[in-house]
Amino acid sequence: AVSPHSSNSFLRPVHFGDSAKLKVGQSVYAIGNPFGLDHTLTRGIISGLTRDMQSPGTGRFITDIIQTDAAINPGNSGGPLLDSEGKVIGVNTALLSPSGAFAGVGFALPIDLVRSVVSQLLEGGKVQRAVLGAVLAPDRTARMLGIDTGLLVLQVVPGSPAAKAGIRPTVRDEFGRPVLGDIILGVNSKAVAQSSDFYRVVNKLGVGDDVDLEVLRKNSREMIPLKLASSKAIEDQINEARMLLLRRENMELEIEVPDMEEE
C-alpha cells in the first residue's frame, strides 16, 4: 500500500540501496513484528542471491529473490531488510521451514523490484504485469508428458496476445487422444528450459513490449512475434480460461495436473 503523509509528519523516509550490487556474505538486518512482537530487529547475512519463488496464488515465478539467515518469522513480512548502512535492500516476504517457524532460510524481495512496483502504484494506482495470455503446464506435468525442455501451452486466452499471434493450445483429437500444443523454447533469443527461466525474462518486460517467441510446433521450430498485454486488461479472460480448464476432466491429460500457471 502507498500512504500519503504531510511534510510535518514525524515520519522520516528511508534510503534505498541497490539490490543489483549485493554480495553473498554481507551483513543484513531484518525489522518486523514476529509473532506480534513490535520493533524486532534480527541480524544475519545474505546466504544466496537470484533465488526463485513461485506464487501460490497465480503460479507465476518471482525471480532474483534474496536469501538470508536473518531470522524471519510470521509477522516479519512487509518489513525492510537493511544493509549495514541502514539502506533498504529488500522487503521481507517468506521463510522456508517444515514447522512454520524460522529454520535459517528466509527470503526478501529485492528493492529494485519493489521500487518498480511502487512507481506503478504512484502513477496509476495499480500494478500492471505484462502477460502473453496463455495457461502454461507446470514443469512437473510437462516432464511427465515426455517434454524434457520448454513450457507446454495448455490453454490460450481468447483475445490475448497469444491468441492473436496464433499460439496453439493443447487439445484432444476426435478419438480423445491429447494433441500437445506449442512448446515455448525461447523468449527474445534467450533459452527457457523451465518456468523460472521464462519468468526471469518476462518479469523484466513491460506492457506493450515486443516479444519474439521460439516455439516447437510438432516437429518444427518457429519464431512467433507478439506484443505483451496488461494482466489487468485480460484478467477476466485469464480466470475464465483457468476455471474452464480445471472443470474439464478430459484436459487433465490422463494424469493429475496441479495448479496451473498463468502467463
Side-chain angles (χ1 to χ4, degrees):
V2 176
S3 176
H5 65 91
S6 68
S7 59
N8 296 325
S9 171
F10 67 92
L11 298 175
R12 295 293 181 267
V14 295
H15 296 286
F16 291 146
D18 186 349
S19 53
K21 296 180 179 179
L22 299 179
K23 304 291 185 183
V24 172
Q26 76 177 75
S27 296
V28 291
Y29 304 84
I31 297 177
N33 303 312
F35 305 109
L37 300 172
D38 294 348
H39 306 101
T40 296
L41 173 70
T42 57
R43 177 183 178 182
I45 63 170
I46 293 178
S47 308
L49 296 167
T50 65
R51 303 302 192 201
D52 300 322
M53 181 181 298
Q54 189 171 19
S55 168
T58 66
R60 189 184 182 104
F61 274 82
I62 305 172
T63 58
D64 298 326
I65 296 286
I66 301 167
Q67 179 186 335
T68 178
D69 68 351
I72 294 177
N73 285 292
N76 275 105
S77 295
L81 186 70
L82 311 172
D83 63 13
S84 56
E85 296 181 350
K87 295 180 179 179
V88 181
I89 56 172
V91 174
N92 306 322
T93 187
L95 67 145
L96 182 62
S97 170
S99 65
F102 184 66
V105 182
F107 300 99
L109 298 174
I111 195 61
D112 292 351
L113 171 61
V114 175
R115 292 176 73 172
S116 68
V117 169
V118 171
S119 296
Q120 291 188 58
L121 290 175
L122 291 174
E123 292 175 4
K126 59 184 179 181
V127 177
Q128 297 191 70
R129 292 184 173 86
V131 297
L132 303 178
V135 178
L136 307 176
D139 293 334
R140 182 170 62 116
T141 301
R143 302 304 171 257
M144 293 177 71
L145 291 171
I147 301 170
D148 296 327
T149 185
L151 282 72
L152 173 65
V153 177
L154 287 181
Q155 183 85 335
V156 173
V157 177
S160 68
K164 295 175 181 178
I167 298 294
R168 297 182 182 178
T170 298
V171 296
R172 284 188 179 270
D173 64 16
E174 57 185 293
F175 301 106
R177 297 171 300 193
V179 179
L180 299 184
D182 289 339
I183 300 171
I184 300 175
L185 300 176
V187 181
N188 290 347
S189 300
K190 295 181 180 179
V192 291
Q194 56 191 0
S195 296
S196 58
D197 297 334
F198 176 82
Y199 288 106
R200 183 167 287 109
V201 178
V202 174
N203 285 348
K204 295 178 181 178
L205 300 174
V207 175
D209 284 352
D210 293 319
V211 169
D212 289 320
L213 292 182
E214 180 183 1
V215 304
L216 180 64
R217 179 172 293 171
K218 295 184 178 180
N219 295 319
S220 63
R221 295 187 179 221
E222 298 186 20
M223 296 298 297
I224 300 179
L226 54 81
K227 189 182 295 289
L228 298 178
S230 167
S231 58
K232 295 295 183 181
I234 58 173
E235 185 174 25
D236 291 341
Q237 295 96 315
I238 289 175
N239 291 334
E240 183 179 350
R242 294 181 71 208
M243 293 304 299
L244 179 62
L245 186 60
L246 291 173
R247 287 199 300 265
R248 289 181 178 175
E249 292 183 358
N250 66 347
M251 286 298 295
E252 293 185 15
L253 306 178
E254 310 292 8
I255 61 176
E256 180 183 354
V257 178
D259 290 340
M260 302 302 159
E261 299 168 5
E262 64 87 4
E263 173 45 46

